[in-house]
Amino acid sequence: MTVRQAFILALIVPLVAVGCATPPTATQQGAIIGAGAGAATGAVVGAATKGSPGKGALLGAIIGGLGGAIAGDIYQQGQQRAYEQGRQDSARAGAPQPVPGGPPVTGQGPYAPDPTRGEVSNSTRWEVQIHLDQQPGNLGSPTFVLNPQETRPVNLDVGQHRIIAKAFVTTQFGKRPVGTYDRMVTVDPRSSGWSIRFVETSF
């Protein structure tokens, strides 16, 4: 076999393998290309060294195939990493971004706003005892008690409600009254809620 024949054979065999096989992977493509290049190089080297071109082509095909397989595997891993990176970038781009300046405000659902929802705050240094819808001359136990700087949610139906609040200071002789707050509060059905905040001048 001449150098030219071995060279042509080395190029034809990998091309036939590509045409007859199923679509090759990146590793298989690298092996086929490497085998063709190695066979061609081996044929030329074999002829130049007065050896057998056919043996040189065979040896070159084996070496080229191994090198091409390794190169194809590295290429395939690179493609896979690029694909995964693209997916991660897309996921980050589609994810909602945090709002600067603090946590987001969450609505109360389809029933908000509710005019009957309210809160009572004690911004004083004293204990405040709250009596809801009780008569001044016939006060029973307090509906609830607020410690200093405490806030509590309270629900009141639409309409008018009497709120009596008594403030007490704790001394070495026990609790002593500071003053009384007595007001009528109207819960408006058109409002979004209500609130009362006791300060020291409220008593």
Side-chain angles (χ1 to χ4, degrees):
M1 180 183 297
T2 66
V3 175
R4 182 178 180 182
Q5 290 172 336
F7 184 80
I8 294 174
L9 178 63
L11 294 178
I12 291 176
V13 172
L15 293 176
V16 172
V18 173
C20 295
T22 57
T25 63
T27 302
Q28 293 169 341
Q29 288 178 348
I32 293 170
I33 295 172
T41 303
V44 174
V45 172
T49 58
K50 296 184 180 181
S52 173
K55 291 181 180 179
L58 178 61
L59 181 60
I62 294 173
I63 296 173
L66 291 176
I70 295 172
D73 188 55
I74 294 173
Y75 171 77
Q76 188 175 26
Q77 291 178 5
Q79 290 291 95
Q80 182 66 25
R81 284 194 297 269
Y83 172 73
E84 292 297 333
Q85 185 65 37
R87 287 184 59 188
Q88 293 175 7
D89 292 344
S90 298
R92 282 195 295 267
Q97 300 300 316
V99 178
V105 178
T106 304
Q108 298 180 353
Y111 300 104
D114 186 343
T116 66
R117 295 181 182 273
E119 66 177 21
V120 180
S121 301
N122 178 13
S123 298
T124 73
R125 300 168 289 162
W126 311 311
E127 176 187 285
V128 177
Q129 299 180 1
I130 311 296
H131 301 264
L132 295 179
D133 293 325
Q134 297 182 20
Q135 298 302 317
N138 190 25
L139 292 179
S141 300
T143 307
F144 58 90
V145 178
L146 289 177
N147 294 318
Q149 308 303 318
E150 182 181 2
T151 298
R152 175 174 297 195
V154 180
N155 297 326
L156 291 178
D157 201 359
V158 172
Q160 288 190 333
H161 300 272
R162 188 164 193 166
I163 296 181
I164 299 175
K166 290 182 173 291
F168 292 88
V169 60
T170 301
T171 72
Q172 61 179 334
F173 301 106
K175 291 183 181 179
R176 294 294 182 262
V178 175
T180 301
Y181 172 97
D182 186 355
R183 297 287 188 279
M184 295 297 294
V185 175
T186 300
V187 178
D188 190 341
R190 295 167 295 185
S191 69
S192 58
W194 60 274
S195 66
I196 295 176
R197 185 170 71 93
F198 295 112
V199 295
E200 294 186 1
T201 56
S202 301
F203 303 96

